Amino acid sequence: LEAEMIKKAFGKEFIAVNILDLCRKFSKGAVIDEAALLQSGLIKTEGAHIKILAKGDIDFPVTLKIARISPAAKDKIIAAGGSVEEVI
């Protein structure tokens, strides 16, 4: 599984992490931030520009602490009972 996918948006590169990737690596109640993504192997570079995208479904609550998340992904996390803290 090569989860680290580089995409470009408005001339900026970011590493895309999909909700389905989060479901494979984390469980109910997990706090997911850059350190957790590194430890899980979903990203390989510390300080990378990460964006959570909405591909896939989630049916358990997690707390996501990340700088960039698509509106659709945020809606899915909240609908599953989780929360999103957008950090800088």
Side-chain angles (χ1 to χ4, degrees):
L1 172 71
E2 181 58 40
E4 192 163 315
M5 187 169 49
I6 298 177
K7 297 201 172 213
K8 279 192 169 187
F10 304 105
K12 294 185 179 182
E13 289 186 356
F14 62 90
I15 298 170
V17 178
N18 288 300
I19 284 183
L20 73 95
D21 300 320
L22 298 180
C23 290
R24 289 181 182 151
K25 296 286 187 173
F26 298 98
S27 58
K28 180 180 178 180
V31 176
I32 305 168
D33 58 9
E34 181 183 348
L37 292 171
L38 274 166
Q39 187 175 16
S40 73
L42 286 175
I43 63 169
K44 298 176 181 142
T45 308
E46 189 172 346
H49 298 285
I50 305 158
K51 185 169 184 178
I52 307 298
L53 300 178
K55 184 177 180 182
D57 292 308
I58 187 165
D59 60 359
F60 55 88
V62 296
T63 299
L64 196 59
K65 297 180 179 183
I66 202 82
R68 295 170 50 141
I69 182 168
S70 74
K74 185 175 183 176
D75 290 345
K76 287 183 178 186
I77 297 287
I78 292 169
S83 64
V84 176
E85 297 175 31
E86 295 183 47
V87 299
I88 296 173

